[in-house]
Each structure stands twice: as C-alpha cells, then as structure tokens.
Amino acid sequence: MRAENPVVYDPEFVFYYGVKGAWQIFSHKEAKQVLGDYHSFSNLFIPNLGQNIMGRNLNQSDPPDHKKLRSLVAKVFVPSVISRHAEWIRQQCEEIIEPLLEKGEMDFIHDFAIALPNRVIAQLLGIPAEDHAQVHSWVTTIVTNVKTMEEMQASFAAQQQIANYLDKMIEMRREEPKDDLISHLLASEVNGERLNNEDLLGTVVGMFLAGFETTSSLLGNIAYTFCHHPEVLDHYLEHPEDFDNIINEVLRVLPSAKSMTRVAKHDLELRGQQIKKGDYLNIWLISANHDPEVFPEPDKFDFRRPNHSDSLSFGHGIHYCFGVPLAKMETEIALKVVFSRIRKLRIKEGARIEMTPSTIITGFTRLPVTFSAVGVYQ
C-alpha cells in the first residue's frame, strides 16, 4: 500500500466510537505532513460525549486550547519531577522480577511488562496500592479493540468508572495535597489560569492510559526484539551507553502507537487525493517508520541508524508525546534491573505468542520466555 496507494480512502474502516470511513496514510512524507499541520488537520477526532471521557484530554485538543493545556501539564510532567521516583521504580522492578527467577521462565507481558507500568503510573498519580488492580482492569477494558456495540458500551462504562474514581481522588487532593501528579496539576497555573474540572479529569485519565500502555508495549517489544536478536542484547550488556539508540530502533520497528488519527479542517489535496472537510485520516506510524525512502533496508534492525529522529513513533509537531521522558527512564531502569539478573532470554520452545488485537497499539498480550538467572543487582 505504501508503494502503490500511499493515500487511499477505505469506506469500510471503522473507529471504535462509531465513525465509518477514513483516509489511510502509509507514506512517511504524508504522515509527517498530516501530523505536523495543525492548521489543516484537527486532533478533535473523538466525539465529546458525556459517557466518553476520552473525548476530553490533552490529546483531544487544538490550538489555542492545546497550548494552554500542554503548558499546564508540562510544568508538572518534567524530568525533575519524574526522576524523584527513580529509586522507587528500581525497587518495584526488583520486587517483580525476584520471585520469577527460580522458575527460569515467565510470560514477560503479564508477569513484568504489565505489572511495572501499572504500578508506576498509579504511584505517580497517587493511587493507593490496594486499588491498582481495579484501575488496571478499567484501563484494559478501555484500550482493548472494540468491535461490537456491547464492547463499546463496556468501554464507555469503564471510562465512567475510572472517571468517577479519579474525580473522588481529585477532590481529596484539593482538601489535602500530596507529592503526586494530581496534586501538582491542581496547583499548576499559567498566566493565572488553572485546569478546570473537566480538563483536569480528562488529563488525569489520559495520563494514566498513555503512561501505562506506551511503556507496557515498549517493554514487551524490547523483550521480543532481544529474543529474536540476541546479538543486540549482548551488545547492550557490554555497551549500556547505547541504550537510547537500541530503544529508538525498537520504537521505529515496533512503535507502541501503531496509528494516529486526524480530521480535515478544510478541503485540500494530499498526494493527488481530494480530502474533504470533516474527513477522517488514519496515519499508520508503523508503515511510515518502514518507508525505505527515509529508512534504507527498513526491515533490518539497525540501532546504528543515523536518522532515528525521523521516526514518528511518538508523533510529530505540537502533539509530540510529553510522556517520553517517563517512558524512557522507566524502561532504562527496568532493563538494568532485569538484565543484571537474567541471561539467555529466549522465546519458550513450542509456546504461542499473541499480539495485541489492535489497530492502535503495537504489542503483545502473551510472550512466554525462558532465561537463566544470574547475580544480584547492585
């Protein structure tokens, strides 16, 4: 499709919130253009329904509202705030991996890649440990591919439940602030303005979803890559300073977000196709990241590529993911702990691998692996 129909309309493409029909964008040039041109393409693609809290978050905004929201969130979601939790994250990694060592095998997704990000984003937001499992259950329901009306209703119900729960937490933090992101968001202001209740709730829900799903998928995709390219794992163990290059190549090949959506603000032409105002566009990041015009030998895993900055894995332009510092810090700590304790990571012989059934997320729901336990983390 990228070579023959880089911009093509699919009348049968269905979004989970009921929209049918969308332009499919496969080429890197056009994908980057659509993501970067907020004058022509809107991010307001989810209906702002009362039961759909995902229609009210930072990623569902256009200028000038987007600039105000991002400025408020950016004041609290910065490395200086996030890095204060580094030691706690390391302890969580050790606590999760320790009981798995004796068996010499695990389902990397369920046993580690889900467990860690769920704890971390919940901790950052100030959600009590006893509620982590329930909140994770709601998140899983929300991000799962929706194919039927019953699944859509279940997704809306989960959104409302997590919204009600977090709304109560927000009110508690108004009365008694703590050192967590919800309290910092309540106190954040730009030019005397603060987040209103709707924006605050939508932002908190969006942060939980993005903070969990992005890192969970990334951890699983790294483990899958190391299993298929043991020479890359060996290189990382000998040269941990190449962490960024290795992770960037994993993100290029298997971006946590498989696609992003925009809506045309006006009639325009794109790669010879006539786009109408109100048309939906589905941008395939995973295809753009494999465009040979930008990445020679795109199917080859090469962490020495000189142009990783051209990858669209975290978006492009004003909506570039603000959670990148957290995702990379969490991932770096996790890799240091895990691979100080295990070696010879392999896909379990005869095991069934399951990928996430999603047009949005690139990841796995099942990744059985075997390994050899070694040493003690220092």
Side-chain angles (χ1 to χ4, degrees):
M1 295 300 293
R2 186 174 53 241
E4 299 178 10
N5 295 286
V7 178
V8 63
Y9 190 76
D10 179 3
E12 299 301 318
F13 191 87
V14 180
F15 292 95
Y16 85 90
Y17 36 85
V19 175
K20 186 175 181 180
W23 291 94
Q24 308 299 314
I25 313 299
F26 296 99
S27 56
H28 186 280
K29 179 181 178 181
E30 279 68 37
K32 185 176 181 180
Q33 178 183 340
V34 172
L35 292 173
D37 184 2
Y38 62 84
H39 295 290
S40 299
F41 303 99
S42 171
N43 243 50
L44 301 175
F45 56 86
I46 297 181
N48 191 356
L49 306 174
Q51 59 183 342
N52 187 3
I53 192 65
M54 289 310 296
R56 303 197 306 266
N57 67 74
L58 175 61
N59 197 43
Q60 286 295 301
S61 63
D62 286 336
D65 291 341
H66 176 267
K67 183 177 181 179
K68 181 187 75 173
L69 287 171
R70 191 171 182 108
S71 296
L72 287 163
V73 173
K75 290 188 70 174
V76 303
F77 214 83
V78 293
S80 60
V81 173
I82 302 302
S83 62
R84 294 207 299 266
H85 299 269
E87 176 58 23
W88 181 88
I89 293 173
R90 185 184 68 80
Q91 292 171 359
Q92 298 307 302
C93 291
E94 292 179 335
E95 185 177 305
I96 293 169
I97 198 68
E98 185 65 33
L100 303 171
L101 296 176
E102 189 174 342
K103 288 182 64 177
E105 64 177 69
M106 62 173 155
D107 182 336
F108 194 88
I109 303 304
H110 287 282
D111 295 335
F112 191 84
I114 287 177
L116 179 63
N118 185 51
R119 291 189 189 187
V120 171
I121 193 62
Q123 170 76 5
L124 290 173
L125 290 171
I127 295 171
E130 61 268 22
D131 294 339
H132 287 187
Q134 177 59 75
V135 174
H136 174 251
S137 176
W138 289 329
V139 171
T140 300
T141 301
I142 293 170
V143 301
T144 299
N145 246 27
V146 176
K147 301 176 183 177
T148 67
M149 182 58 68
E150 289 76 16
E151 290 172 333
M152 186 182 297
Q153 290 171 345
S155 176
F156 285 155
Q159 289 181 44
Q160 196 58 60
Q161 287 171 315
I162 196 172
N164 291 340
Y165 173 86
L166 292 172
D167 196 33
K168 292 177 183 177
M169 275 203 64
I170 289 169
E171 289 309 311
M172 291 170 60
R173 293 300 184 267
R174 287 188 198 277
E175 297 179 8
E176 187 180 347
K178 295 186 177 182
D179 185 19
D180 56 41
L181 292 183
I182 290 179
S183 299
H184 291 311
L185 283 170
L186 283 166
S188 178
E189 63 175 62
V190 174
N191 298 326
E193 288 192 75
R194 297 190 179 190
L195 292 168
N196 62 38
N197 286 343
E198 279 197 350
D199 289 338
L200 180 61
L201 182 58
T203 297
V204 171
V205 173
M207 288 172 71
F208 194 99
L209 292 172
F212 164 73
E213 192 60 52
T214 299
T215 308
S216 177
S217 297
L218 176 56
L219 287 169
N221 294 342
I222 291 170
Y224 177 82
T225 299
F226 282 169
C227 286
H228 282 268
H229 299 281
E231 75 283 358
V232 177
L233 174 55
D234 291 343
H235 181 90
Y236 166 72
L237 294 172
E238 294 179 12
H239 302 280
E241 66 274 11
D242 282 339
F243 163 80
D244 270 338
N245 289 334
I246 293 171
I247 298 312
N248 287 336
E249 182 68 349
V250 172
L251 284 164
R252 183 193 69 81
V253 175
L254 295 169
S256 297
K258 187 179 294 181
S259 66
M260 292 183 177
T261 307
R262 295 292 187 269
V263 181
K265 288 185 173 182
H266 55 80
D267 293 354
L268 58 99
E269 181 179 305
L270 186 68
R271 193 73 176 248
Q273 301 285 7
Q274 299 302 314
I275 313 295
K276 300 294 183 182
K277 179 181 179 180
D279 282 357
Y280 277 65
L281 299 95
N282 196 58
I283 304 102
W284 291 102
L285 307 182
I286 195 165
S287 175
N289 281 357
H290 286 75
D291 193 329
E293 292 187 9
V294 180
F295 302 103
E297 296 184 88
D299 296 328
K300 178 182 177 181
F301 189 93
D302 180 7
F303 62 84
R304 295 183 176 86
R305 291 181 187 274
N307 63 334
H308 279 125
S309 60
D310 291 327
S311 167
L312 300 178
S313 300
F314 286 115
H316 176 69
I318 64 171
H319 284 283
Y320 185 82
C321 179
F322 65 85
V324 172
L326 172 61
K328 287 200 170 183
M329 182 189 76
E330 190 176 340
T331 301
E332 184 169 19
I333 294 171
L335 294 188
K336 284 182 179 178
V337 173
V338 169
F339 292 107
S340 69
R341 307 302 303 275
I342 71 174
R343 293 290 189 275
K344 298 181 181 178
L345 186 69
R346 299 290 187 272
I347 301 294
K348 184 177 180 180
E349 187 174 352
R352 186 179 77 256
I353 297 172
E354 295 177 0
M355 294 203 75
T356 305
S358 175
T359 57
I360 301 171
I361 301 299
T362 309
F364 298 86
T365 56
R366 194 169 185 272
L367 186 62
V369 298
T370 60
F371 56 85
S372 300
V374 297
V376 176
Y377 180 72
Q378 299 294 331

